[in-house]
Amino acid sequence: MPTYEAIQREVRITFGFVPKTCWIAHVLELLGKKLRVAPNRIDPSVRKYPCPTEKQAALIEALCKLEQQDLRPCRSFL
């Protein structure tokens, strides 16, 4: 799996904005990836800053592109 920094760089180059790390975590969770929950998180079922719906497609596309570069199938996200 690509690092959050690599995902941010790819989105910045391709789409012209830098996603927050919490947006990346939210999209990964939407795609079914199991993420750890921070111990200081107040409510594990609520996200304080969810990824805006208009930014989700850009993040998914960047994740797929980076997964293909890692020689893993992009379908693992879908």
Side-chain angles (χ1 to χ4, degrees):
M1 185 165 111
T3 64
Y4 281 31
E5 183 180 340
I7 296 166
Q8 286 177 321
R9 185 178 16 201
E10 180 63 33
V11 172
R12 185 187 70 228
I13 291 168
T14 309
F15 299 100
F17 71 94
V18 179
K20 295 180 177 186
T21 55
C22 55
W23 294 356
I24 297 170
H26 183 219
V27 169
L28 287 171
E29 184 180 60
L30 291 174
L31 294 173
K33 293 291 183 178
K34 184 76 173 158
L35 303 174
R36 70 173 185 84
V37 178
N40 62 342
R41 192 163 170 183
I42 296 170
D43 186 359
S45 63
V46 177
R47 290 202 168 270
K48 189 170 183 180
Y49 302 108
C51 184
T53 54
E54 65 271 6
K55 307 282 186 181
Q56 289 178 8
L59 282 168
I60 292 171
E61 189 174 324
L63 284 165
C64 286
K65 182 177 179 182
L66 292 170
E67 282 291 313
Q68 288 174 349
Q69 290 174 357
D70 285 345
L71 301 176
R72 292 185 211 144
C74 178
R75 295 290 175 213
S76 65
F77 283 125
L78 304 175

